[in-house]
Amino acid sequence: MRFNAKDLASLARRPSGCFDKEGKLKICRVVGDEKLIEPRERWCRLKGNLLFLMKNKSSEASEVVILERCWIVEFRSKTDVSIVLKFQSGEADLYLEAASKPDCESWAVALGEANSEGLQNKIQQLRRLIMEIKEERSSDEARQFLPSSQVDSLGEPQFTSIQRIANEPKLEFSLACKDLVAATRDRKLNTFIQVSVVHPAEHILTRYTSTEIVEGTRDPLFLTGVTFPPEYPIYEETKIKLTVYDVKDKPQDTVRTSVLPDHKEPRADVGRSFLGCTTFRVGDLIKSKEQQLTLTLRTSDGGKTVGTIEVNLVKMGELEDGETDHITTDAQDQKCALVRECTATEGVSGKDNLPSLNAVLKNPICKLYRFPTSDNKWMRIREQMAETTLSFHVPKELINLHIKEDMRRNQELKDLGELAPHWDNMRKSVIAHCDQMLSMYQDTLAELGKHTGSSFKSSCSKGEKTLEFIPINLHLQRMHVHSPRLKDALYDVITVGAPAAHFQGFKNGGLRKLLSKFEAERRNTGYQCIYYSPENTAKAKEVLSNINHLQPLISSHADLLLNSASQHSPDSLKNSLKMLSEKTELFVHAFKDQLVRSALLALYTARPGCVLKKPAVPRNSAEEGDDLQHQGHPSQIKRQDSIPHHSEYDEEEWDRVWANVGKSLNCVIAMVDRLLEKDNISNIKEGENDPSAADCKVLHTGGDWYEQLYPLVITLKDCMGEVVTRAKQSMAFVLLQELACGLPQCLMLTLRRDIVFSQALAGLVCGFIIKLHTGLHDQGFLQQLHTVGLLVQYEGLLSTYSEEAGMLEDMAVGISDLQKVMFKVIEAKSEDFLPVITGRREHYVIEVQLPAKMFELLPQEIKEGKLLRMYPVLFNVGINEQQTLAERFGDTTLQENINQENLELLKEYYKLFTEKMPPDCLPHFQEQNDLKGLLENLHQNIQAKKRKNVEIMWLAATICRKLNGVRFTCCKSAKDRTSMSVTLEQCSILRDEHQLHKDFFIRALDCMRRMPHRECTEECQMQKVCIQHDTADGFPKVLQTSRRDIWKS
């Protein structure tokens, strides 16, 4: 270069704005892995394919590097900020080190584009873009030569819809290529097909989806198909463009050429080269005799033929013609590396696309696969992932219930009446703190009411306070399998982030530890307040709840009784009396509880100037916890306090008060019996003598009935009102002690528990509704549902190290609290099918609404409103690198205890199942011995305490499926670990239940794992895998994804 040295020196001295990129880099030459000298800092300037190296910004260029016949290698490590220029000529490599990772990436991109090859790729990209523009303009140009009448008719085009089965995808097809031509004779192609849609109305080319990458063959057979959901606007006139690309091979541990920032869309020319493209009309495929098209692939200029592509129409309900024998050994070794999604606008494709499901599931992402079976037939798999509106609906319903419950509790505390100064100050403090918490709940509900957009909370929002009640990444993952000789099957898994209070943090652990610590501390505060055990406080809440429920019912039935008496209607009188008796007896027996008696005495001692007839001190903690039994009932009536304040307190007075309710009811019953008996006798006698006289008697005695019953009913109401007042005040005093002993920790723990429970309940409601719809035609499952209950199995993948240990503690308590939830199925009276939640913190009822036709399919017991029980169990196995640290240097006791406790719960459910269900009821129950063996195997694996024992997960999942349970898979954010576990489970099901060919297990697994998670799709809009290479290192081998596979994403 001596002959143009002056020109190069002049170019290097030009102003900064004239260069493509410039900046400081540390540079040295490298031979093999050894640096010849230590890197020295140089000012680098890039212009075209010339890289100038200068000692500083104002000095002369000391060296010029020509960026031709070289490539750039960037190391994958997050901490490594260096790149290496390698030359085909064999000269020493050039080592360049940047100041930061972003700077290193930007230099890698700039250097990768600086050679003639990069320029040629840009030219090819522009050529393809010109062809696409020409295709779009051709139809517009044709319109210019049409008569005006035809042009007007085209303004509102009428397109031919595709005939299809209801609720099935509009169009599905598979793809394969043959005789592809490579740029060089000895090159093995790594190909994938990009599918684009040309909408006939707009003539705009839209990228829709892509297949996986198939490596090392010129006759690729793609296992990933293309599916268009029912709502997608596709017609017979729609054109589909298929573009075949060849992906350049890359080293296993490095990435060449360009590295893009996370917020940028990958360019078409990066890491791939254009082979050929073709276009076909949807109508041609549908109307073809064999429902197959063989198309010729041509280069961008339309001249050279580079191979053929076969398009086969797919129908899930039909067997695909032909066998898989034509797949060569070379093709079987092909590895797939990229799957991209096709997104439906709304609704859910498939046979269960019903109005009630559409109200719950939204925005599905669909995929289609075909895999060979062991007998060389094809099976088809349709996979979909859908978000749910319940992610926000259930938390909002719960928060609204919490607000009402807390407002009622605050009012009950205010209605306690006059208290001694110590207790009165305590009450004021409690009410002040409760009002603050109530305001926080109200603010959260208001913020959630403003939420618009997607129906799920992404992992990056898990620390937001306004969204802390919302579950993370709650989705349905469904696999629909159609295989030869076997019945179609659906496999559902609910994926969700671990229910945990992320905003509050885990510095002091999770709920499991915090509740235990709080209870121990509360026992030592007896000198300030009276200690009541958690069981007794729960009883007090139940009594108050029953009071608010039963008293209005009793008053209503009493009024109906008087109304029947005024109308002199014997039948109506009997029915009203029956309902009144049933509810009143429940009310009376509810207060046969030592807790109410003891609490009344404690409340009396808290009154100013109290005097005891008998020496008595309110018993504390353990004494009351052992003796007291719970119950309760009636309503929220404001009355004067009837407990004496300054007179002697009679401990037996309470027995007389609640017994008066029963006596009053007996008086009403006796009076009704006498009236009916007299009426029958008089009607018989007078009816025989003078029928008209009998009619006059009816008119006369109607008033007598009402007048005789009225005072007795009023007495019953008065007695009941006195019981209600005393019971409400005594139970409110118990709750005052609970709150006062632990302010403000008690309220903060309640808040944390509400947050975790809200996240867990949203997932449970979603899982129950999906399971109910799936099993509507399975009489064995429906019988199991109302006879035994529903098993709900959670698969946890959290580690027991650092913050995730706190998450696991939160999750364990939240899932355990789901035992308090009951479900009830009702007939929908409107088009709103969203579930309705009623109840209180200790007991919730979820009312699931079904359309009339679906409701009629249910057993009579469920239609009559029988409450359906849930049996949640959690099995956790940490699988990442943090669990490795916990097993080697930390503690795994938490995980072991959780697994052991839930194993006992699972055994209890199985025992109940075998006792109540007939042996031939369920399709899987003939495998009773297998279930016993699986339970024993699970027990042994839990006792073995083996590191990262994923066998626990598989055994628990298998038992759950055989018992018709609902499956959940959870990790921190329901992305990396969850996706690996779910895809492994799906492929294992295909292998074990549907005879997936053994040589295709890994390839099927790779296909499913190349699907980006919804978060990547909607937030990042990038074609990247959700499995991060830096977290895969600690996983068990079967769950790992290699770095080579990760690069392909």
Side-chain angles (χ1 to χ4, degrees), residues 863-876:
K863 288 195 286 187
E864 290 175 354
K866 183 175 182 179
L867 295 180
L868 310 175
R869 289 198 60 185
M870 300 294 108
Y871 293 85
V873 293
L874 165 65
F875 294 96
N876 187 84

Side-chain angles (χ1 to χ4, degrees), residues 602-620:
L603 176 61
Y604 178 72
T605 61
R607 302 292 187 189
C610 71
V611 178
L612 294 179
K613 182 177 179 181
K614 302 176 182 178
V617 178
R619 292 182 292 174
N620 61 9

Side-chain angles (χ1 to χ4, degrees), residues 550 581-593 630-633 658 661-662:
L550 282 177
S581 301
E582 290 177 357
K583 299 302 179 183
T584 306
E585 287 176 8
L586 288 175
F587 180 85
V588 171
H589 291 292
F591 295 105
K592 287 184 178 180
D593 198 304
H630 85 316
Q631 287 183 15
H633 292 31
W658 68 260
V661 176

Side-chain angles (χ1 to χ4, degrees), residues 559-574 576 671-672 674-684 686 693-709:
D559 293 338
L560 288 175
L561 182 72
L562 292 177
N563 186 49
S564 300
S566 64
Q567 296 178 1
H568 199 276
S569 173
D571 292 336
S572 177
L573 191 68
K574 291 178 182 178
S576 299
M671 178 59 68
V672 170
R674 282 199 301 271
L675 292 175
L676 292 176
E677 183 178 357
K678 290 180 180 179
D679 182 67
N680 289 334
I681 296 173
S682 62
N683 283 342
I684 293 173
E686 298 184 21
D695 295 337
C696 296
K697 178 69 177 177
V698 168
L699 296 175
H700 175 68
T701 58
D704 293 342
W705 281 18
Y706 181 85
E707 291 172 0
Q708 293 182 60
L709 280 176

Side-chain angles (χ1 to χ4, degrees), residues 463-479:
E464 293 186 18
K465 179 173 176 56
T466 56
L467 298 177
E468 58 185 345
F469 285 84
I470 310 300
I472 302 170
N473 276 330
L474 176 60
H475 291 94
L476 165 69
Q477 184 79 17
R478 166 167 288 183
M479 182 174 68

Side-chain angles (χ1 to χ4, degrees), residues 728-918:
K728 286 180 68 174
Q729 290 186 343
S730 64
M731 295 300 97
F733 189 72
V734 173
L735 298 185
L736 175 64
Q737 309 308 309
E738 178 199 29
L739 295 169
C741 288
L743 284 178
Q745 292 87 350
C746 178
L747 294 176
M748 293 306 298
L749 281 177
T750 301
L751 171 63
R752 188 182 189 105
R753 198 164 188 170
D754 287 345
I755 290 170
V756 175
F757 179 77
S758 171
Q759 297 177 26
L761 182 63
L764 176 64
V765 175
C766 177
F768 177 85
I769 293 176
I770 299 301
K771 188 66 179 179
L772 181 62
H773 281 77
T774 305
L776 270 177
H777 298 279
D778 185 347
Q779 293 304 315
F781 165 72
L782 294 176
Q783 182 180 350
Q784 174 190 358
L785 187 61
H786 71 79
T787 305
V788 185
L790 184 64
L791 177 65
V792 185
Q793 186 252 326
Y794 288 80
E795 176 184 295
L797 302 171
L798 294 171
S799 69
T800 54
Y801 184 80
S802 188
E803 285 191 345
E804 288 198 8
M807 295 177 203
L808 181 56
E809 290 180 344
D810 276 358
M811 182 179 177
V813 173
I815 291 174
S816 176
D817 286 345
L818 294 178
Q819 298 178 43
K820 307 170 186 175
V821 177
M822 308 282 277
F823 280 82
K824 181 180 180 181
V825 184
I826 61 175
E827 183 178 350
K829 303 301 181 183
S830 67
E831 295 300 318
D832 183 7
F833 298 105
L834 289 174
V836 179
I837 305 177
T838 58
R840 54 186 174 80
R841 281 186 175 91
E842 301 299 325
H843 178 71
Y844 289 102
V845 176
I846 316 297
E847 295 182 352
V848 177
Q849 305 185 73
L850 289 182
K853 290 183 179 179
M854 298 174 64
F855 187 75
E856 289 302 318
L857 299 174
L858 298 173
Q860 191 62 31
E861 293 85 351
I862 298 180
K863 288 195 286 187
E864 290 175 354
K866 183 175 182 179
L867 295 180
L868 310 175
R869 289 198 60 185
M870 300 294 108
Y871 293 85
V873 293
L874 165 65
F875 294 96
N876 187 84
V877 178
I879 60 173
N880 64 353
E881 74 284 356
Q882 287 190 329
Q883 185 63 21
T884 304
L885 296 175
E887 289 170 343
R888 293 180 179 177
F889 310 110
D891 185 12
T892 60
T893 306
L894 173 63
Q895 175 176 287
E896 294 165 3
N897 291 341
I898 289 175
N899 289 344
Q900 185 61 46
E901 293 167 7
N902 285 272
L903 175 63
E904 298 305 318
L905 294 175
L906 182 59
K907 287 182 176 178
E908 289 179 13
Y909 178 83
Y910 175 70
K911 180 180 178 181
L912 187 65
F913 181 84
T914 54
E915 291 174 352
K916 293 190 175 183
M917 294 298 294

Side-chain angles (χ1 to χ4, degrees), residues 379 968 1035:
M379 74 168 79
F968 283 79
F1035 291 175

